[in-house]
Amino acid sequence: MAPAASTPPAEATTSAPPVPAAPSYLDLADRLRGAGSYSECVVEALRHAYQHPTERQRGFDEAALCLALAGRFEDAHRLMLTLPAEGEPLDVRGRLRVCLTEVFMPDLGAPACPQLTGASAAVDRRDALGRYTLTMRALHARRWSEARAAQAVAGGAASTPGVDPDPTLAAWQSRDRAWLGRYDALPNKSPLLAAALSAVVPGLGRVYIGRWQDGLVSFLLVGLSAALSAQGFYEEGSHSVRGWIVGSAGALLYVGNVYGSAVGAVVQRRDAEEALSQDVDREYRRRLEP
């Protein structure tokens, strides 16, 4: 019986794992943005824009976002407006990007956002957000009365019958109403009244503005110097060196207490408003990526 022919070993049927596609420049830009490398992000985003003309706006928007996150709002604004200047109208994403950068540009003479997101623009969620940035711009610039009026107008425009409110816009409006409420609650003590109270009773003006520890210290220092000066004059007469020196120091403390009470009322308001503005700025920087 003939031996059975040996069968050749079966060829391996398993194929090599697919090689993952290299990330695009835009993906790389997104990763760089997440890592905080904003300058490199701008380079990769613009490289994508120029190598893929059909996605030019997307690349420009990513580059402008990275510029804005780096605090270069003027550069981001200028970059986005090169598109319409070259005959390429901005899409809704680009219009919103321009509006968001203008929030941080209070000295801009003629904002482009009102024209880009006006009534003639297509109705879109991002256009509604863009129009609302006019309120944000006033609030960020500490134009509180203007921001309140714009908030009221925006609230009326957002409540269109039969149209569901945009959740992002509703969240922004709610948060900004809270900022305006916090502004209304800022300390508003009268410097003149604070000075007058300290003139009558040393330290009372500081108690009035809420700094009762300073008021107590002022009362004790002025009162003690007055008592020691009076004692010196009582024991040594009108030529008492101790009386004149301690009395002069007490008079300086008294005048300084009156002046300090008035200044304290002003500084208290200024510092509270500055803290509020810093919180608003941090909040608005988070809104750069709606």
Side-chain angles (χ1 to χ4, degrees):
M1 185 173 180
S6 60
T7 58
E11 294 183 359
T13 57
T14 58
S15 59
V19 178
S24 68
Y25 292 126
L26 200 60
D27 293 335
L28 182 57
D30 188 68
R31 295 179 186 178
L32 289 168
R33 172 165 56 85
S37 301
Y38 299 128
S39 297
E40 292 83 355
C41 168
V42 173
V43 172
E44 299 302 329
L46 291 179
R47 183 178 299 176
H48 178 91
Y50 287 112
Q51 291 195 4
H52 301 82
T54 58
E55 297 186 5
R56 189 181 180 202
Q57 289 214 24
R58 189 179 174 194
F60 270 47
D61 179 74
E62 181 74 17
L65 172 58
C66 291
L67 286 170
L69 291 174
R72 297 167 58 185
F73 299 104
E74 293 81 2
D75 293 337
H77 185 261
R78 190 181 307 110
L79 176 65
M80 292 306 301
L81 290 182
T82 57
L83 291 170
E86 295 175 359
E88 183 176 351
L90 288 171
D91 58 14
V92 289
R93 188 189 190 104
R95 293 197 291 267
L96 177 57
R97 181 63 54 210
V98 171
C99 293
L100 286 170
T101 58
E102 289 184 350
V103 169
F104 300 88
M105 302 170 64
D107 298 328
L108 188 62
C113 184
Q115 289 73 35
L116 294 174
T117 61
S120 60
V123 177
D124 186 273
R125 180 184 74 87
R126 287 192 177 93
D127 275 330
L129 293 175
R131 285 189 289 271
Y132 184 73
T133 60
L134 300 176
T135 301
M136 294 168 51
R137 188 165 184 263
L139 210 159
H140 187 269
R142 305 188 188 186
R143 299 194 297 266
W144 307 103
S145 299
E146 180 182 336
R148 193 183 307 279
Q151 173 76 267
V153 173
S159 58
T160 305
V163 178
D164 294 333
D166 176 68
T168 302
L169 178 58
W172 285 7
Q173 290 176 325
S174 175
R175 188 59 178 158
D176 288 346
R177 280 193 293 270
W179 294 129
L180 290 171
R182 181 173 160 185
Y183 172 77
D184 292 337
L186 290 179
N188 193 23
K189 303 298 184 179
S190 169
L192 292 178
L193 180 57
L197 290 173
S198 283
V200 175
V201 178
L204 187 58
R206 295 181 182 269
V207 175
Y208 163 69
I209 63 176
R211 299 172 59 179
W212 62 270
Q213 297 96 332
D214 292 345
L216 179 60
V217 171
S218 297
F219 177 79
L220 292 176
L221 288 177
V222 174
L224 181 61
S225 60
L228 291 176
S229 176
Q231 182 183 20
F233 286 128
Y234 178 78
E235 293 177 352
E236 302 171 11
S238 59
H239 299 288
S240 172
V241 175
R242 179 183 59 172
W244 282 109
I245 293 177
V246 176
S248 299
L252 291 175
L253 288 173
Y254 174 81
V255 173
N257 172 64
V258 173
Y259 176 76
S261 298
V263 171
V266 175
V267 171
Q268 182 187 54
R269 172 77 180 193
R270 183 197 64 195
D271 290 349
E273 187 171 341
E274 181 64 29
L276 172 59
S277 295
Q278 290 178 2
D279 289 343
V280 169
D281 181 75
R282 283 190 291 268
E283 167 72 18
Y284 284 3
R285 287 175 185 268
R286 286 193 289 268
R287 295 182 188 180
L288 289 171
E289 303 179 72

